[in-house]
């Protein structure tokens, strides 16, 4: 019996918290651990042999995914991958409904739906086993977060004996549970009946409220409109993962996501291509693109990705960082807890740094001397940092030249 997967990729008008990095590249194509964010989800889908087709649904222009689709089709020959474009943002369930004929073509028995912006160990096979064992209609991935972060997510109350979802509230105002929606679902085909019922209820409401415009009725939210309904019926279960999970929302969250995916790669495939071997100057895991050049006296790691044609000079130190293509870190410079976007140049003896956050911190904001700042320093495309300059906890917009020390600022 065949299955399909849908990855919700959103569009350019969303994901604004990923700026300034998304000015240059759509968030879902931003590389972490050397690969576009979305490729990590595609790799996970290869563990489910019954998946023959993956549909990316979003409202980006078609051209955005053209090159990616060509590359992904070569990398993942086991399934066909297509992009379906919503004519406007239809919400997390609106796109599913709009493209229901394409999704149901070939009579898939089960549908995985994945948010493109989650970083996870993606326990899809385990979700599938639960789905079959429980004869479920829907299984949601759940993960525990520290209680102070729970209200940023959909919160799940489950029956701990049966794992049945008994209550679901999207981003509640008060604490109801620290088991949250991990943005990965497995549905059977009856999900379209639930979406249709939600749509009809919406249309009925609109009849009573003539101020609601017709286009707005097309917008359906998986969370508020569908999951809440599923929780009121039978057959909705939660698979609680103990594997890693975090969202990639802000630009800074790419740094902990990079660390999590690199660690996974290091633990599961120590001989993975382009993972640098441990040595006096390499603290694993470190990913180095084969076209990058790293001086043997530079010290890298842990949790560093070095992109195509990047150059790292003698005596440099790079830790917990992403260096994108064509970046340059000159000799004796230091880059810590930071992202250097395409073409950034860091001068000799310069220091670009953010602050340490743990992957369990579901926020990239920290307080320094009572001021809210980004924990990760982000230098956008083609920024130039002068020799000996120190940058701490700053976001620098594209093409700026930084000639003197800066701290806790957004430099426009
Ligand atoms: N195709 C499409 N169309 N995709 C969309 C749309 C849309 O109109 N709106 C959002 N998405 C995609 C986003 O790109 C992202 O991958 C995912 O759907 C969820 O995005 P948001 O709507 O911004 O929700 P959120 O991230 O604040 O919260 C959701 O995800 C959390 C887990 O990461 C909720 O489902 C939470 O309950 C959940 O905990």
């Amino acid at each position: 019996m065949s299955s399909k997967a849908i990855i919700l990729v959103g569009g350019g008008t969303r994901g604004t918290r990923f700026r300034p990095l998304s000015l240059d590249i759509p968030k879902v194509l931003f590389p972490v651990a050397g690969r576009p964010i979305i490729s990590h989800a595609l790799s996970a889908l290869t563990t489910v042999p019954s998946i023959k087709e993956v549909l990316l649904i979003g409202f980006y222009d078609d051209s955005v995914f053209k090159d990616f689709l060509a590359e992904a089709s070569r990398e993942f020959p086991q399934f066909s991958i297509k992009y379906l474009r919503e004519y406007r943002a239809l919400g997390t369930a609106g796109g599913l409904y709009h493209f229901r004929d394409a999704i149901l073509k070939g009579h898939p028995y089960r549908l995985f739906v994945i948010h493109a912006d989650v970083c996870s160990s993606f326990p899809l096979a385990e979700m599938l086993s639960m789905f079959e064992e429980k004869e479920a209609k829907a299984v949601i991935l759940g993960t525990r977060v520290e209680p102070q972060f729970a209200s940023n997510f959909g919160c799940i109350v489950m029956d701990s004996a049966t794992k049945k979802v008994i209550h679901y509230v999207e981003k509640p105002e008060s604490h109801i549970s620290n088991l949250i929606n991990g943005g990965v679902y497995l549905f059977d085909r009856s999900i379209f009946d639930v979406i249709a019922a939600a749509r009809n209820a919406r249309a009925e409401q609109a009849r009573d409220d003539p101020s609601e415009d017709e286009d707005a009725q097309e917008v359906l939210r998986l969370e508020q409109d569908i999951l809440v309904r599923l929780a009121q019926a039978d057959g909705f279960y939660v698979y609680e993962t103990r594997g890693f999970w975090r969202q990639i929302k802000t630009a800074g969250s790419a740094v902990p996501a990079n660390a999590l995916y690199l660690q996974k790669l290091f633990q599961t495939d120590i001989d993975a291509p382009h993972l640098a071997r441990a040595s006096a100057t390499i603290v694993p895991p470190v990913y180095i693109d084969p076209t990058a050049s790293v001086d043997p006296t530079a010290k890298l790691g842990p949790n560093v990705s070095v992109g195509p044609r990047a150059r790292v000079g003698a005596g440099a130190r790079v830790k917990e960082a992403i260096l994108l293509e064509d970046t340059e870190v000159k000799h004796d410079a230091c880059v810590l807890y930071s992202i250097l976007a395409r073409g950034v140049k860091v001068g000799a003896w310069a220091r670009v740094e953010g602050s340490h956050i743990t992957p369990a911190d579901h926020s990239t904001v920290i307080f320094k001397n009572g001021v809210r700042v980004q924990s990760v320093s982000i230098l956008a495309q083609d920024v130039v940092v002068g020799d000996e300059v120190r940058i701490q906890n700053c976001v620098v917009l594209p093409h700026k030249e930084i000639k003197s020390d800066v701290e806790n600022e957004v430099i426009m």
Side-chain angles (χ1 to χ4, degrees), residues 80-114:
S80 97
I81 309 173
K82 291 189 190 122
Y83 174 58
L84 303 178
R85 184 187 177 187
E86 292 164 22
Y87 61 94
R88 51 167 284 197
L90 294 177
T92 41
L96 296 182
Y97 190 76
H98 186 73
F99 290 113
R100 61 195 179 282
D101 292 343
I103 295 170
L104 292 175
K105 196 170 163 204
H107 303 282
Y109 169 60
R110 292 165 299 216
L111 303 167
F112 278 99
V113 176
I114 300 180

Side-chain angles (χ1 to χ4, degrees), residues 8 14 57 86 91 115 154 168 170-171 181 223 247 249:
L8 297 172
R14 295 187 71 97
I57 300 188
E86 292 164 22
H115 293 181
Y168 180 90
E170 182 63 19
K171 302 184 182 125
N181 172 359
E223 300 81 359
Q247 254 189 331
K249 275 289 176 215

Side-chain angles (χ1 to χ4, degrees), residues 190-204:
S190 68
I191 189 64
F192 287 100
D193 302 333
V194 184
I195 301 179
R199 214 169 166 271
N200 290 342
R202 178 66 79 77
E204 226 157 79

Side-chain angles (χ1 to χ4, degrees), residues 33-335:
R35 325 172 63 202
I37 287 173
I38 194 177
S39 293
H40 295 280
L42 288 170
S43 284
L45 288 167
T46 62
T47 61
V48 183
S50 62
I51 295 177
K52 302 286 179 244
E53 186 172 57
V54 182
L55 301 171
L56 315 183
I57 300 188
F59 48 99
Y60 284 105
D61 203 76
D62 291 295
S63 59
V64 164
F65 290 104
K66 196 168 161 270
D67 293 346
F68 173 77
L69 287 177
E71 268 168 47
S73 301
R74 280 192 293 275
E75 190 182 348
F76 302 102
Q78 54 275 78
F79 29 68
S80 97
I81 309 173
K82 291 189 190 122
Y83 174 58
L84 303 178
R85 184 187 177 187
E86 292 164 22
Y87 61 94
R88 51 167 284 197
L90 294 177
T92 41
L96 296 182
Y97 190 76
H98 186 73
F99 290 113
R100 61 195 179 282
D101 292 343
I103 295 170
L104 292 175
K105 196 170 163 204
H107 303 282
Y109 169 60
R110 292 165 299 216
L111 303 167
F112 278 99
V113 176
I114 300 180
H115 293 181
D117 61 356
V118 301
C119 159
S120 167
S121 55
F122 292 114
L124 305 181
E126 291 85 343
M127 288 177 70
L128 198 52
S129 300
M130 174 180 248
F131 189 88
E132 282 168 359
E133 186 198 312
K134 304 276 187 192
E135 297 182 1
K137 288 191 163 64
V139 172
I140 183 171
L141 178 72
T143 185
R144 300 266 173 196
V145 296
E146 296 287 324
Q148 72 268 28
F149 299 116
S151 61
N152 298 331
F153 302 100
C155 293
I156 302 165
V157 180
M158 71 166 174
D159 175 329
S160 55
T162 61
K163 312 292 178 207
K164 190 175 173 308
V165 177
I166 46 182
H167 194 43
Y168 180 90
V169 187
E170 182 63 19
K171 302 184 182 125
E173 277 171 19
S174 53
H175 184 80
I176 64 156
S177 163
N178 73 332
L179 179 63
I180 61 132
N181 172 359
V184 181
Y185 318 92
L186 180 55
F187 297 122
D188 76 1
R189 297 162 59 91
S190 68
I191 189 64
F192 287 100
D193 302 333
V194 184
I195 301 179
R199 214 169 166 271
N200 290 342
R202 178 66 79 77
E204 226 157 79
Q205 247 174 19
R207 267 197 290 275
D208 299 338
D209 175 9
S211 67
E212 185 164 345
D213 75 274
E214 233 171 78
D215 270 0
Q217 289 174 39
E218 297 278 303
V219 177
L220 287 169
R221 301 151 309 173
L222 201 46
E223 300 81 359
Q224 294 93 327
D225 299 321
I226 313 300
L227 301 185
V228 171
R229 275 170 184 269
L230 286 176
Q232 288 159 1
D234 268 343
F236 185 22
Y237 293 88
V238 52
Y239 177 80
E240 183 181 340
T241 180
R242 297 196 191 288
F244 67 86
W245 185 92
R246 73 166 293 127
Q247 254 189 331
I248 308 177
K249 275 289 176 215
T250 58
S253 55
V255 165
N258 183 57
L260 290 167
Y261 278 136
L262 283 176
Q263 282 158 20
K264 177 184 171 210
L265 194 62
F266 185 65
Q267 282 158 12
T268 53
D269 185 6
I270 198 170
D271 294 320
H274 319 318
L275 267 194
R277 296 214 157 265
S279 69
T281 53
I282 297 288
V283 186
V286 172
Y287 168 93
I288 303 177
D289 185 275
T291 60
S293 73
V294 175
D295 189 280
T297 63
K299 184 169 178 182
L300 268 58
N303 304 325
V304 167
S305 292
V306 181
R309 302 173 301 280
R311 284 161 291 156
V312 180
R317 176 73 178 105
V318 184
K319 175 176 158 181
E320 303 282 350
I322 301 174
L323 276 46
L324 291 198
E325 69 240 53
D326 302 309
T327 47
E328 182 176 10
V329 176
K330 289 207 176 133
H331 68 86
D332 301 296
C334 201
V335 178

